[in-house]
Structure formats: C-alpha cells, structure tokens
Amino acid sequence: VGLSSGELSWLAWCPDNQRVVFTRTEAGNEDVYAVNVDDGRVARLTDHPHRDTAPPCGPDGRVVFASARAPALNLFVVSIP
C-alpha cells in the first residue's frame, strides 16, 4: 500500500517512536494504517466497508480505533504486525 492517494487524518505517534498510525480516506471509505518511520513500510490495519478512524497507539503496540460497523460507533483493538 502506498500513500500516493487518499486523504490522511488522525495521525498519532506510537510510544516506541518507530511508527505512526493514521486514518486514510479513499473512495469515501476510512481505514486505519501504520507506517514504519525508518523504512516507510505501510501496514493496513483495517479493511472494512464502514468508517474506521481515530487510531491512538498504545504502549503495547495495539491500536484502539472507532468504527461505524454497528448502528453506532464502537471501539475495536488491533495489533500492528
């Protein structure tokens, strides 16, 4: 996954200072990604047709994000690979 398209928002540094997590909007859908600051590798953390956004990164390397997968926003947790 490259970062040449889409709109980026909700950028947050991980406590290890090695990665940045963010929301990327493309074709009207928002998903959560992480980028390794040393080599630029991008990992897509969510892939869902509903809105996934606002990803803070915890000290254990897990990301908590809000998602509209249900009738209302709920919180989910995903690990960074």
Side-chain angles (χ1 to χ4, degrees), residues 16-79:
D16 64 7
N17 289 324
Q18 300 299 311
R19 296 170 285 200
V20 174
V21 293
F22 57 93
T23 299
R24 178 176 179 228
T25 304
E26 187 170 31
N29 186 46
E30 297 179 29
D31 281 303
V32 178
Y33 293 78
V35 62
N36 186 314
V37 296
D38 289 337
D39 60 15
R41 283 181 306 159
V42 177
R44 186 175 189 165
L45 305 180
T46 66
D47 186 4
H48 197 274
H50 290 94
R51 181 178 175 217
D52 298 331
T53 190
C57 185
D60 60 358
R62 295 187 305 165
V63 175
V64 178
F65 64 95
S67 180
R69 296 176 186 194
L73 285 176
N74 288 295
L75 296 178
F76 294 85
V77 177
V78 65
S79 295

